[in-house]
Amino acid sequence: QVQLVESGGGLVQAGGSLRLSCAASGRTFTGDVVGWFRQAPGKEREFVAAITWTGSSKDYADSVKGRFTISRDNAKNTVYLQMNSLKPEDTAVYYCGRSDYFIRVKSDYGSWGQGTQVTVSS
């Protein structure tokens, strides 16, 4: 079973940038859709972005469209989330998961990593 590990989070000022990584181990990401979700304190985990195995299709939540970019390097078994123009409301723990479906539904994703904290100060 694939295990996912997120990294790249940190503290950044509003307007700054971060790049998150989601690395797979145990097996490759072959054929998997990979999605990024986030969870702020006291809130439900919400969809952020998803990418298909080939990278030909990408989907973004409206709240991050135009600011975040999802990409993948299958040779490195890694999916990235480039986050630009960060806002305080982007503060959350960010998780990656894999799915058989190109979908925004949290319950269709699994193999969640431990998450990486992103904090945006105003």
Side-chain angles (χ1 to χ4, degrees):
Q1 185 173 348
V2 66
Q3 295 177 318
L4 305 182
V5 178
E6 304 94 338
S7 62
L11 174 64
V12 64
Q13 289 188 331
S17 298
L18 285 172
R19 188 177 80 156
L20 306 184
S21 297
C22 171
S25 63
R27 68 164 179 82
T28 67
F29 271 136
T30 302
D32 290 346
V33 172
V34 176
W36 283 98
F37 288 71
R38 65 187 181 186
Q39 188 166 15
K43 295 189 177 181
E44 292 288 321
R45 190 173 300 189
E46 65 176 6
F47 172 80
V48 175
I51 187 168
T52 55
W53 162 245
T54 62
S56 60
S57 294
K58 302 176 184 180
D59 188 24
Y60 298 94
D62 288 345
S63 59
V64 307
K65 200 171 293 184
R67 299 187 298 122
F68 291 11
T69 302
I70 191 170
S71 63
R72 66 192 300 162
D73 184 337
N74 290 333
K76 295 182 178 179
N77 269 337
T78 303
V79 173
Y80 303 99
L81 185 68
Q82 178 67 43
M83 307 187 296
N84 298 329
S85 302
L86 282 162
K87 304 175 181 180
E89 51 263 44
D90 294 317
T91 295
V93 178
Y94 284 70
Y95 300 89
C96 62
R98 52 83 48 208
S99 176
D100 293 327
Y101 310 104
F102 186 55
I103 200 168
R104 296 185 174 194
V105 179
K106 178 180 58 179
S107 59
D108 280 309
Y109 285 80
S111 301
W112 298 103
Q114 82 290 345
T116 186
Q117 176 71 49
V118 171
T119 303
V120 184
S121 63
S122 57

